Amino acid sequence: MFIINCPYCGEREQSEFKAGGEAHIDRPKQPTELSDDQWAEYLFMRKNIKGIQFERWVHTHGCRKWFNVVRDTSNDNIKAVYKMGEKPPINNDKEFKS
Amino acid sequence: MKNKYSLFSLVKNAFSYHENWEKAWKDPEPKKEYDAVIVGGGGHGLATAYYLAKKHNIKNIAVVEKGWIGGGNTGRNTTIIRSNYLWDASAGLYDHALKIWEGLSQELNYNVMFSQRGVMNLAHNLQDVRDLKRRTHANRLNGIDAVYLNTEQVKKFCPIINTSPNIRYPVLGGTLQRRAGTARHDAVAWGYARGADKMGVDIIQNCEVKGIKRNGDTVEGIETTKGFIKTKKIGVVTAGHSSVIANMAGLRLPLESKPLQALVSEPVKPIIDTVVMSNAVHAYVSQSDKGELVIGAGTDDYISYSQKGSHDIVEGTLNAILELYPIFSRMRMLRQWGGIVDICPDASPIISKTSIKGLYFNCGWGTGGFKATPGSGDLFAHTIANDEPHKLNAAFNINRFISGDLVDEHGAAAVAH
């Protein structure tokens, strides 16, 4: 259990939220052009990173808004929170590695 | 040659105060090269090595384990064994394992304490009733023993269940698989380790894989904390960490790793002589031979490798346990822990070759891998030895996520995820 700082409501317990998995997976622009391999990549294949992950959360029992979180999946420490459509405050994993 | 465990050996060792038992497995340093290397020294990995040596005559095998054998999910599960899955492919897979379980203690000369005490799955609403009846019929068509019980029969089979119609999720019925049950999970790892070691398999603990060396599309070996090990065949059985190993080889898998929790109570006298699972309210319980209630909770919905889950998950499970078994209201919980399970989108495993020659994955068992340990090892060994799947695991290839031929077992998986 950890605390998530909802960009709209502030700090709340994680149990108020629902995780939406890996963020920044772009919806196919031309779905009819996609091969089976590309569909599998889009629908099923995930980085499932142990370490810094960019992910989506929704504040189910609050404002019900979606937003993005940067979290270290090896210890559940949250590094940053940013709204949908915003650029991630960190561009790559390396900035967190010490 | 190892001594066989028997009444005779027990008496003989009693005379020397049990101080001279032979080590069940050696603790060797890795050799330069192996014919096959299994990554992951859990039940599935050790079973794979055991069957590779026993049935496929590959003797020069190493099992590399980053911690100690059986210390991951093998030692963290709730030890439930059953095969009442819906689809033909899954029925074949899980019942293959159950049949091996039935003779496993004799085969390994190691008591895995397999106890066919039955597993009951409860229905709490009309859709549950329909689903469970359908699954019962499907099971019987596949030759798997299954019966549907009404509320009175559930009460008769497990008298401590609260079958009052006034509870929030009343018990409307359930299924029973009598051949199902539990086994001692540590013994499974130790038994397979001893059996594999006896046939010359090197079990290398405290040896973490750091990289996979490739030459084009063929594997050449693994980089480990104990140096480079050359091999042509790598079988990866690392459960929650499957994606981590896959990333080393430049592969992506359709997996998400999530915490799954379990807890045990203080030990009490025998009170529940079967395993009862409830998918809808999310509580399952059995009693260990020590007398502890073994309770399984659900997964958290976020990806995590932290081996600890959220308190609200445990709270939700205990709420359901208390409503179904009011008699447990004064029980105190002794221990609680988490393991990291790798979940496939269709809640079925992957036992498969990959696009890289010599690299095989056995993963995606999600919340229910323990029950399949012997069958999984057997079929994975077949896949590695022949570079082709056995007919029982052909459906569980990684390409099903491209073809769309999924094996959707979310209903039978019994743990909501």
Side-chain angles (χ1 to χ4, degrees):
Chain A
M1 178 106 75
F2 42 88
I3 303 285
I4 298 175
N5 188 9
C6 171
Y8 305 96
C9 311
E11 291 190 345
R12 300 291 178 89
E13 281 185 6
Q14 170 262 319
S15 57
E16 288 191 14
F17 300 82
K18 178 133 180 59
E22 193 177 321
H24 307 299
I25 299 174
D26 289 338
R27 202 177 171 82
K29 293 216 164 48
Q30 290 181 304
T32 49
E33 313 271 300
L34 249 52
S35 68
D36 288 354
D37 279 346
Q38 287 167 320
W39 271 120
E41 275 295 314
Y42 168 66
L43 285 174
F44 299 125
M45 300 302 166
R46 294 292 177 264
K47 290 180 190 156
N48 196 22
I49 286 170
K50 181 178 186 178
I52 301 299
Q53 165 165 280
F54 296 78
E55 58 188 14
R56 300 173 304 172
W57 285 81
V58 58
H59 196 179
T60 326
H61 301 291
C63 61
R64 302 184 66 185
K65 287 198 175 81
W66 284 88
F67 56 93
N68 294 309
V69 171
V70 187
R71 184 173 55 97
D72 186 339
T73 60
S74 63
N75 56 19
D76 295 336
N77 287 342
I78 292 177
K79 306 290 181 185
V81 175
Y82 56 102
K83 290 179 183 171
M84 283 289 163
E86 287 180 358
K87 281 220 154 86
I90 310 100
N91 291 321
N92 58 51
D93 306 359
K94 292 189 184 73
E95 291 180 39
F96 288 119
K97 284 187 181 147
S98 51
Chain B
M1 188 65 190
K2 285 223 165 57
N3 292 323
K4 198 170 182 290
Y5 291 156
S6 64
L7 183 61
F8 175 73
S9 71
L10 187 66
V11 172
K12 191 177 136 210
N13 278 281
F15 284 112
S16 54
Y17 303 97
H18 297 293
E19 285 171 355
N20 296 319
W21 284 100
E22 197 178 6
K23 275 192 176 170
W25 57 86
K26 298 177 290 289
D27 203 10
E29 286 301 305
K31 289 189 257 179
K32 292 258 177 301
E33 184 175 356
Y34 289 95
D35 294 337
V37 172
I38 306 300
V39 182
H44 289 241
L46 293 163
T48 305
Y50 175 85
Y51 291 113
L52 267 176
K54 189 181 173 202
K55 293 172 84 168
H56 303 284
N57 210 27
I58 301 174
K59 304 288 183 195
N60 189 27
I61 306 170
V63 177
V64 294
E65 162 58 47
K66 76 170 172 183
W68 63 97
I69 62 164
N73 292 352
T74 301
R76 290 164 189 268
N77 59 72
T78 50
T79 80
I80 297 166
I81 295 163
R82 62 190 172 88
S83 65
N84 55 355
Y85 280 71
L86 177 66
W87 300 106
D88 295 351
S90 323
L93 178 69
Y94 290 102
D95 211 51
H96 177 62
L98 183 49
K99 283 179 189 135
I100 303 177
W101 277 115
E102 287 173 333
L104 193 62
S105 291
Q106 287 76 15
E107 181 181 336
L108 294 177
N109 178 229
Y110 204 101
N111 187 4
V112 299
M113 296 164 74
F114 180 51
S115 158
Q116 290 177 297
R117 59 184 67 184
V119 170
M120 197 157 63
N121 289 84
L122 300 181
H124 297 277
N125 54 49
L126 271 179
Q127 191 58 43
D128 278 359
V129 172
R130 292 188 196 108
D131 287 346
L132 287 183
K133 280 186 177 167
R134 178 191 179 199
R135 188 136 64 84
T136 308
H137 294 313
N139 289 158
R140 293 171 73 168
L141 286 171
N142 278 315
I144 293 168
D145 67 307
V147 283
Y148 186 81
L149 308 178
N150 63 26
T151 309
E152 291 73 45
Q153 289 166 318
V154 167
K155 182 81 179 168
K156 194 165 178 234
F157 190 70
C158 185
I160 59 169
I161 292 184
N162 177 10
T163 50
S164 158
N166 299 323
I167 62 176
R168 177 66 183 84
Y169 297 102
V171 177
L172 300 185
T175 62
L176 173 63
Q177 184 181 18
R178 289 183 194 275
R179 283 165 64 231
T182 59
R184 170 94 198 273
H185 49 198
D186 300 314
V188 178
W190 298 336
Y192 273 121
R194 176 168 168 266
D197 182 88
K198 200 171 175 175
M199 290 184 285
V201 173
D202 280 355
I203 296 165
I204 304 156
Q205 303 181 77
N206 298 311
C207 179
E208 184 175 352
V209 173
K210 290 292 188 186
I212 291 178
K213 195 175 171 208
R214 284 165 59 176
N215 180 6
D217 275 344
T218 311
V219 294
E220 290 193 323
I222 51 169
E223 297 287 351
T224 75
T225 48
K226 294 192 175 186
F228 180 71
I229 301 173
K230 197 176 161 191
T231 185
K232 290 196 175 71
K233 285 175 187 259
I234 303 170
V236 182
V237 209
T238 53
H241 281 70
S242 297
S243 298
V244 176
I245 305 284
N247 287 341
M248 291 175 189
L251 283 179
R252 291 223 292 171
L253 295 173
L255 297 175
E256 290 192 315
S257 295
K258 296 176 176 181
L260 176 66
Q261 296 178 83
L263 54 164
V264 294
S265 71
E266 57 190 337
V268 290
K269 287 188 176 178
I271 180 76
I272 178 164
D273 63 355
T274 183
V275 183
V276 186
M277 313 182 71
S278 169
N279 208 347
V281 300
H282 214 286
Y284 47 102
V285 64
S286 63
Q287 192 172 17
S288 75
D289 291 347
K290 278 187 283 185
E292 303 153 325
L293 295 179
V294 183
I295 295 168
T299 56
D300 277 292
D301 67 346
Y302 54 86
I303 292 171
S304 177
Y305 289 84
S306 65
Q307 287 195 327
K308 56 190 177 195
S310 307
H311 298 302
D312 55 302
I313 299 281
V314 171
E315 194 179 355
T317 290
L318 290 178
N319 281 342
I321 290 278
L322 285 191
E323 184 154 89
L324 278 176
Y325 313 93
I327 192 175
F328 295 151
S329 66
R330 307 295 290 274
M331 292 282 280
R332 284 168 298 187
M333 291 299 138
L334 205 60
R335 286 177 289 127
Q336 168 270 340
W337 64 92
I340 301 303
V341 296
D342 45 330
I343 296 171
C344 263
D346 59 355
S348 284
I350 296 167
I351 312 170
S352 179
K353 305 202 286 187
T354 64
S355 53
I356 300 165
K357 193 169 162 39
L359 184 63
Y360 307 86
F361 269 87
N362 183 353
C363 58
W365 289 95
T367 56
F370 175 72
K371 66 173 80 68
T373 305
S376 156
D378 183 31
L379 299 173
F380 195 42
H382 181 102
T383 308
I384 294 172
N386 299 300
D387 198 36
E388 278 301 322
H390 188 278
K391 67 177 183 349
L392 287 175
N393 68 312
F396 298 96
N397 65 68
I398 202 162
N399 289 333
R400 73 178 189 267
F401 296 96
I402 297 167
S403 69
D405 192 9
L406 304 182
V407 189
D408 183 5
E409 287 290 0
H410 279 282
V415 174
H417 47 57

